[in-house]
Amino acid sequence: MSENTPAPPMLQGIKVVDLTTVVFGPYCTQILADLGAEVIKVETPGTGDALRWAAKAPVTPGMSPAFFGFNHGKRSIALDLKGEADAAVMRALLAEADLFVVNVRGKALDRLGLDYEAVRAIRPDIVYVHCVGFGQDGPYADLQAYDDVIQAASGAASLLPRVDGNPRPRYLPSLIADKVAGLHAAYASLAALFHRQRTGEGQRVEVPMLEAFSSFMLNEHLGGQTFDPPVGPVGYQRQLDPDRQPFPTADGHVSIVAYTYDSWDRIFALLDDPDFLNDPRFEGGGARVANMAAMYHRIAELTPQLTTAELIARCQAAQIPAQPVRDIGAMLDDPHLAATGFFRRREHPSEGTYHEIGAPVRFGALPTAERSPPPLLDQDGAAIRAELAGKQD
C-alpha cells in the first residue's frame, strides 16, 4: 500500500448481524461499526429497538437521543422472525455473516431456530456472541435483566449508602452495567474473530451481564473479603470515604487528588497552610491514611478562599491533579473536547442537526472513519433484501 493510499478500516469485510436491543448489545455492535464492520441491525417491524422510544425525538417518532448514542454506522432491516418469509431472510443474512450478536434469551432463540447449533448449521465458522443477563449454567439463567436489575444484583446499589449514610439503596445514575457489559462483548467478539482467523474455528461466546458487571465492581470493592479469612471489610475504602468529594471554591467546586505522600504537602502549601501537617497525626504514610478525613476536612475549609480558576492554576503549578466540577449540560462547550474534535455537528437526513459523540480511541494507522448516521427503522430493508436476492440469482 502506498503512503498516499488511506488504510482501510480495521474490520472492513467483517459482516455483523445484530439482533440486539436497548444498550448492552447495541453498544458492542456500535464499537464494531466504528472499527469498520458492516453491521446490519435486525429490528421488530413496527416498533424496532425499544431504545428508539426512550425520549422525545426531534422529528420522526422512534429516533430518540439515546438511540442516536448507540446506533450510528449501522443499517436497519425490520424482520418478523416468526414468519417464514422473514425467517428465510434472516437465514440468508446469517449465511454471509462473520459475527452474530444476539441478546434474545435462550428459550426464545430455540423457538426462533436461532440457537447456536441451528446458526452454526447455516454458517459453520460463525462467531456467535450471546449477550445474556446471567450465566446460562446458574440458577438465574432464564431471568430477565436490565441495568437496574444488575446494579441491584451486583451490590452496586449498596455503595452510595456506604458513602453518605443514607440507608436507602440507590442506583448509580448511568446505564453503567449495560455499557460495561457491552464493552466486554466488544472485546470478546474481537478475540473470537482473531481466534477464527488463526484457526478457522467459529465458536459460541457467552457474555453474562451480571458476571461482567460484578467483575468490574468487585476488582476493588471485594476489599478485605478477597482473603479467607477476611483481613478487613468489603469495599475499597478510598472510594467509600464520605469526605473524598469535590471541594467548594469561591465560585464552584473542584476535584483535587492527593495520591502520594508528598502530594499532601504540596496541597497544603498551595493552600497557604503548610504547618497543618506538622501535627503528629500526619507523620508517616500510615498515619496519613488513618487520618485522611481530617486532611479532607481542612482542605474543604481552605478552598473557599480561592476561585475555581485560581485554585486550578495553583494545583497545575504544583503538579497536583485537579479539575473543576463541570455540569454535564456544559460538556458540549468543554475547550479540551472541542480541541480534540470529540463532538461533531452533523446533519441527519430526517432529524436535522445533531451532535455526534466521537469514538474515544484513536489508531495511528487508521484515519477517523466517516460514520453513517443512525438509521430509521427498516431504512435499509428494501436494499438489503435486493442484495440478498441478487446473490441468490
Side-chain angles (χ1 to χ4, degrees):
M1 182 179 297
S2 71
E3 293 184 1
N4 296 325
T5 303
M10 290 183 176
L11 294 187
Q12 181 174 297
I14 296 296
K15 295 185 178 181
V16 181
V17 174
D18 174 7
L19 186 62
T20 69
T21 60
V22 193
V23 173
F24 177 4
Y27 192 31
C28 164
T29 55
Q30 177 187 283
I31 292 169
L32 301 176
D34 284 344
L35 294 173
E38 178 188 355
V39 177
I40 296 177
K41 184 177 181 70
V42 178
E43 302 190 68
T44 305
T47 57
D49 188 336
L51 197 64
R52 288 183 176 276
W53 308 94
K56 181 180 179 180
V59 178
T60 308
M63 295 297 285
S64 74
F67 182 81
F68 266 62
F70 296 98
N71 289 283
H72 52 243
K74 303 178 185 179
R75 305 171 77 195
S76 171
I77 183 172
L79 296 177
D80 177 5
L81 297 178
K82 296 179 181 179
E84 179 50 37
D86 281 2
V89 174
M90 184 66 167
R91 290 192 294 270
L93 287 172
L94 290 171
E96 296 185 343
D98 299 286
L99 182 67
F100 180 39
V101 185
V102 57
N103 67 351
V104 180
R105 284 184 291 165
K107 291 181 179 179
L109 286 172
D110 293 342
R111 292 193 295 269
L112 292 171
L114 293 175
D115 58 278
Y116 174 58
E117 293 302 327
V119 173
R120 187 170 68 164
I122 299 169
R123 175 72 187 253
D125 65 346
I126 199 163
V127 171
Y128 184 110
V129 177
H130 195 186
C131 298
V132 296
F134 307 93
Q136 297 298 284
D137 52 356
Y140 305 159
D142 294 328
L143 300 179
Q144 291 180 295
Y146 290 90
D147 191 275
D148 292 356
V149 170
I150 298 302
Q151 287 204 38
S154 66
S158 75
L159 291 176
L160 289 177
R162 285 175 157 83
V163 176
D164 62 16
N166 178 348
R168 181 185 178 187
R170 278 157 287 156
Y171 304 125
L172 305 176
S174 170
L175 294 171
I176 187 170
D178 267 323
K179 290 183 285 186
V180 165
L183 288 169
H184 281 280
Y187 81 67
S189 299
L190 296 173
L193 287 170
F194 184 65
H195 173 80
R196 192 187 73 169
Q197 182 177 348
R198 291 196 305 179
T199 67
E201 178 185 31
Q203 62 179 296
R204 179 181 181 273
V205 180
E206 181 179 285
V207 186
M209 197 172 171
L210 176 62
E211 284 87 331
F213 192 57
S214 295
S215 169
F216 180 82
M217 297 302 293
L218 291 175
N219 279 333
E220 80 272 29
H221 280 303
L222 190 57
Q225 290 189 12
T226 299
F227 301 99
D228 188 12
V231 297
V234 70
Y236 183 47
Q237 295 308 307
R238 187 170 180 273
Q239 295 294 128
L240 299 177
D241 188 335
D243 297 299
R244 184 175 172 268
Q245 302 296 334
F247 299 107
T249 67
D251 57 356
H253 287 79
V254 298
S255 171
I256 301 174
V257 175
Y259 212 80
T260 62
Y261 183 86
D262 70 297
S263 63
W264 290 105
D265 298 282
R266 283 181 277 142
I267 288 171
F268 280 96
L270 69 86
L271 291 173
D272 301 320
D273 191 14
D275 294 337
F276 178 78
L277 295 178
N278 292 336
D279 189 303
R281 291 178 298 167
F282 311 124
E283 293 181 0
R288 288 190 177 182
V289 171
N291 293 286
M292 198 172 293
M295 293 189 288
Y296 283 139
H297 277 294
R298 182 56 180 158
I299 292 173
E301 292 172 348
L302 296 170
T303 54
Q305 300 171 23
L306 300 168
T307 67
T308 298
E310 290 169 339
L311 187 50
I312 293 296
R314 291 191 184 192
C315 287
Q316 290 177 350
Q319 295 293 298
I320 294 296
Q323 282 287 317
V325 174
R326 299 179 181 88
D327 186 87
I328 198 166
M331 293 306 295
L332 283 170
D333 300 319
D334 180 85
H336 176 84
L337 296 181
T340 61
F342 182 73
F343 294 111
R344 287 203 309 158
R345 287 176 62 88
R346 297 196 60 189
E347 294 296 321
H348 191 279
S350 64
E351 307 309 296
T353 304
Y354 69 103
H355 297 283
E356 180 184 79
I357 299 172
V361 178
R362 298 178 178 181
F363 296 94
L366 182 67
T368 301
E370 185 69 20
R371 296 163 163 171
S372 60
L376 299 172
L377 176 60
D378 201 35
Q379 175 178 300
D380 308 288
I384 293 171
R385 292 170 188 270
E387 291 165 12
L388 293 172
K391 292 170 183 175
Q392 293 170 355
D393 291 342

